[in-house]
Amino acid sequence: MSMVMCIGVLCTAAVQITAGIGTKAGYPLADTWVLELQKFLGLAHFEQRATPHVSSNQSTRLSRRLVGTTDPQVLRPIIPGITLPTGHLWHYLLALAVCAIIHELGHAFAAGRARVPLRKLGVFVMGIYPGAFVELCKTKLDQASVSNRLHIVCAGVWHNAVTAFLIFAFVRSGGLSAVFSHTGWTRVTDGVVVTDVALNSPLYNRIPLLSTVYRIDDVYLQLSNYSNTWNTSDDRFGATSIARWTHVLTATTNRDTNTAGYCASTMENMDDGLCCEMSPEFPLGESPDSEIFCFERFASSASHELAKRSPMCFDLRSVLERNDAASRCQSDHDCVQPNQRSHSYAGRQTSKVCVLPRSPFASSRVVRLYYRLPNSQTEHMLVYAGSPTALWLDVQVSSLLPRYSWLPHTLPSWIETLLQYILSFSLAFCLLNALPAYYLDGDLAFKLLITAVEQRRARVSGATKCNILASAESKPLYKKELGDSRGTAETVELSQGGQMVYTVVTALTTALLGWCIVGSVLLLAL
């Protein structure tokens, strides 16, 4: 059953990658035939825009990392500096080593239970990638039953699955938070604490460390009685501060996190002809003046036809700093004071309009961060224009604050990130090694499974002679890199039908996996 599920996941990934490449290459029939393939595979509800999963635990960011707001891929290549933040390299390598060791220990423990002696157990480094290996006694392994050998092969995947479950249960149940709470950290109840900011981030030295971010745009990070006419603290963004931080920063447009627009005068329009020239290459516009930004009409109704007409350019900070109730609006009518009418200024007809920063591309948008300085109730606002995903990755936050100055304030965040990588890699080990593809555990497991089925059929049919011979080659189990396991490779003489099933399924799965690897890299390059 697990093999079938993993093949289904692999097919999903292949469809997503194919659709992405077809779309980026401008192939006109790509969407049509990919949609038909999705229907054939039961994936008709596949969405091109991913909705990020938000964890409900108060102290974890397990859902934060490696979640692409515009990339729906199930399988993504991990390339340091491209798909992996360089600051996470140590987390990546340590988590990879832990998962590889756990996987190989699973093989070793299962072999010991089957009374197959262990000859070698060790770790190695190939380039910068760590790995592990085990070597079992060939003679005793040959004498083991098919079921015992199947248990030995599948034990690595089983141990990775148990590891992922334990980490998920430990974090989600509040165990990690409880450990920190009893060892010198205290919980922040009104937002999230900034523990680190990347050196290359535009927010570096702009937001002090240990500041408490309590609000993003019109969304408060704490479920409370903060809600008023223009601000929201409802639970549609998550039940905890960390979950709400994640959800808000992975929102698609400014309309998702702003419940109202801003009143501005058309007299303030500073359109230079380039401000609203937005494209995937210039998602923030092509104006050389970084102080002005493109705004569109705020339309609270479902129809945004009004918002699409006549975009205007205003001083970004000047407009967004108007946060009082009188400056927020749902329509142009809300911006008009009683007995106030439009008038002419310098020969131009002026009026009040209700606007919002324009964000046609999810890769970049305007974000307002509201924060308090450490040990202070003074409130500050910071305007960020750029990639929300970069902000999400560059600014490390936690819901835990050290009680003592000598405690490292980044430790909870560091451990949370490491656990996230161990969880992700454990699931990746399970997925890849459960696939019946060449050089993976699933290859041998599938062959042994067919052998067991044929043996059972032979016994049930009352056959007096079984033509199934199983003998193990003298190749040790070892790891080269993520998911690569060439364990106890057996040469099994199957029946003609069994051999055909094994060859076809294994070849197709290997080809599909190869396409996912090559296609995902190609998708990044396009």
Side-chain angles (χ1 to χ4, degrees):
M1 181 62 69
S2 61
M3 274 190 186
V4 175
M5 292 177 59
C6 290
I7 292 176
V9 172
L10 188 66
C11 291
T12 303
V15 169
Q16 293 175 347
I17 292 171
T18 303
I21 292 177
T23 301
K24 288 190 175 183
Y27 184 53
L29 298 179
D31 294 337
T32 302
W33 69 266
V34 168
L35 180 60
E36 294 300 322
L37 180 59
Q38 290 171 354
K39 291 179 180 179
F40 175 76
L41 296 174
L43 304 172
H45 298 291
F46 166 71
E47 296 181 356
Q48 290 296 323
R49 188 177 66 189
T51 301
H53 167 72
V54 179
S55 171
S56 62
N57 181 262
Q58 293 185 346
S59 65
T60 182
R61 296 193 313 281
L62 293 186
S63 62
R64 284 190 60 197
R65 305 301 178 185
L66 303 180
V67 178
T69 57
T70 58
D71 188 354
Q73 286 180 242
V74 173
L75 299 179
R76 299 180 65 202
I78 299 180
I79 305 174
I82 300 178
T83 60
L84 175 74
T86 53
H88 291 181
L89 185 59
W90 288 111
H91 299 88
Y92 170 82
L93 296 177
L94 182 57
L96 184 59
V98 169
C99 292
I101 292 173
I102 291 175
H103 184 91
E104 295 303 325
L105 286 177
H107 291 304
F109 291 153
R113 186 175 180 179
R115 300 185 181 280
V116 176
L118 177 66
R119 296 182 60 185
K120 293 181 181 179
L121 171 66
V123 296
F124 64 90
V125 176
M126 178 173 292
I128 63 172
Y129 295 98
F133 69 93
V134 294
E135 183 179 342
L136 307 177
C137 177
K138 175 185 178 301
T139 303
K140 292 294 184 181
L141 189 61
D142 290 342
Q143 298 172 359
S145 64
V146 172
S147 61
N148 281 339
R149 279 178 281 180
L150 189 59
H151 290 158
I152 293 173
V153 173
C154 296
V157 171
W158 168 251
H159 278 68
N160 287 134
V162 171
T163 300
F165 172 78
L166 291 178
I167 291 177
F168 178 80
F170 177 63
V171 174
R172 190 176 182 84
S173 65
L176 180 62
S177 176
V179 170
F180 282 118
S181 297
H182 288 84
T183 53
W185 278 265
T186 185
R187 177 171 298 285
V188 177
T189 60
D190 58 348
V192 295
V193 177
V194 177
T195 59
D196 192 24
V197 180
L199 292 175
N200 59 345
S201 171
L203 295 182
Y204 184 73
N205 282 335
R206 291 185 62 193
I207 181 169
L209 296 183
L210 301 183
S211 296
T212 300
V213 178
Y214 65 92
R215 174 182 162 194
I216 303 177
D217 291 339
D218 291 337
V219 181
Y220 280 90
L221 299 185
Q222 179 193 19
L223 285 175
S224 64
N225 295 324
Y226 281 133
S227 293
N228 56 41
T229 306
W230 309 126
N231 301 320
T232 178
S233 64
D234 60 55
D235 60 358
R236 66 191 176 96
F237 291 101
T240 66
S241 57
I242 291 292
R244 295 168 75 80
W245 165 272
T246 299
H247 200 145
V248 172
L249 290 183
T250 53
T252 303
T253 68
N254 291 321
R255 293 181 179 275
D256 296 328
T257 57
N258 286 275
T259 58
Y262 293 85
C263 291
S265 172
T266 55
M267 183 180 63
E268 301 176 89
N269 189 1
M270 305 169 62
D271 192 357
D272 59 358
L274 297 174
C275 170
C276 292
E277 293 296 324
M278 295 180 168
S279 64
E281 292 75 21
F282 299 96
L284 299 178
E286 299 184 25
S287 175
D289 188 350
S290 60
E291 297 297 324
I292 63 175
F293 197 83
C294 184
F295 285 74
E296 62 185 1
R297 295 287 186 90
F298 182 84
S300 57
S301 62
S303 175
H304 290 164
E305 290 302 319
L306 177 65
K308 296 178 181 178
R309 298 199 302 265
S310 303
M312 295 166 282
C313 297
F314 298 104
D315 184 282
L316 183 62
R317 179 170 292 276
S318 174
V319 173
L320 296 187
E321 285 180 346
R322 305 166 188 171
N323 198 41
D324 57 288
S327 299
R328 303 302 299 275
C329 55
Q330 293 289 329
S331 65
D332 294 351
H333 179 73
D334 296 333
C335 299
V336 180
Q337 300 297 327
N339 302 323
Q340 182 181 10
R341 296 182 178 179
S342 61
H343 58 281
S344 298
Y345 178 82
R348 294 186 301 172
Q349 191 74 11
T350 65
S351 61
K352 293 285 187 177
V353 290
C354 185
V355 295
L356 193 69
R358 188 167 180 247
S359 58
F361 302 99
S363 59
S364 294
R365 65 186 182 93
V366 177
V367 177
R368 291 174 290 129
L369 296 177
Y370 295 85
Y371 64 94
R372 300 186 187 94
L373 297 175
N375 302 318
S376 172
Q377 293 300 315
T378 304
E379 299 180 351
H380 300 267
M381 185 193 75
L382 184 149
V383 178
Y384 172 87
S387 169
T389 303
L391 171 62
W392 191 36
L393 294 173
D394 292 342
V395 179
Q396 306 291 312
V397 300
S398 176
S399 60
L400 298 170
L401 189 66
R403 297 192 188 101
Y404 312 105
S405 58
W406 52 269
L407 286 175
H409 57 266
T410 59
L411 183 61
S413 174
W414 197 92
I415 292 180
E416 290 167 7
T417 304
L418 177 63
L419 289 178
Q420 185 276 330
Y421 276 106
I422 294 177
L423 173 62
S424 299
F425 288 163
S426 294
L427 294 176
F429 269 69
C430 292
L431 171 64
L432 294 180
N433 282 286
L435 291 173
Y438 294 122
Y439 303 115
L440 299 179
D441 286 351
D443 176 22
L444 180 55
F446 187 53
K447 185 179 293 186
L448 289 171
L449 186 61
I450 296 177
T451 302
V453 170
E454 291 190 343
Q455 286 181 343
R456 181 177 179 83
R457 290 179 59 184
R459 288 195 299 267
V460 171
S461 63
T464 58
K465 182 178 180 180
C466 181
N467 293 323
I468 302 172
L469 302 175
S471 61
E473 294 181 357
S474 57
K475 290 185 179 180
L477 275 164
Y478 69 96
K479 276 268 179 268
K480 288 179 64 178
E481 47 186 300
L482 180 64
D484 180 13
S485 181
R486 303 178 182 178
T488 59
E490 293 192 2
T491 301
V492 180
E493 187 177 334
L494 303 172
S495 65
Q496 185 175 1
Q499 184 64 40
M500 180 178 297
V501 171
Y502 165 77
T503 303
V504 171
V505 173
T506 305
L508 289 177
T509 306
T510 304
L512 198 61
L513 179 60
W515 164 244
C516 287
I517 295 173
V518 175
S520 60
V521 175
L522 181 61
L523 190 59
L524 285 176
L526 290 177

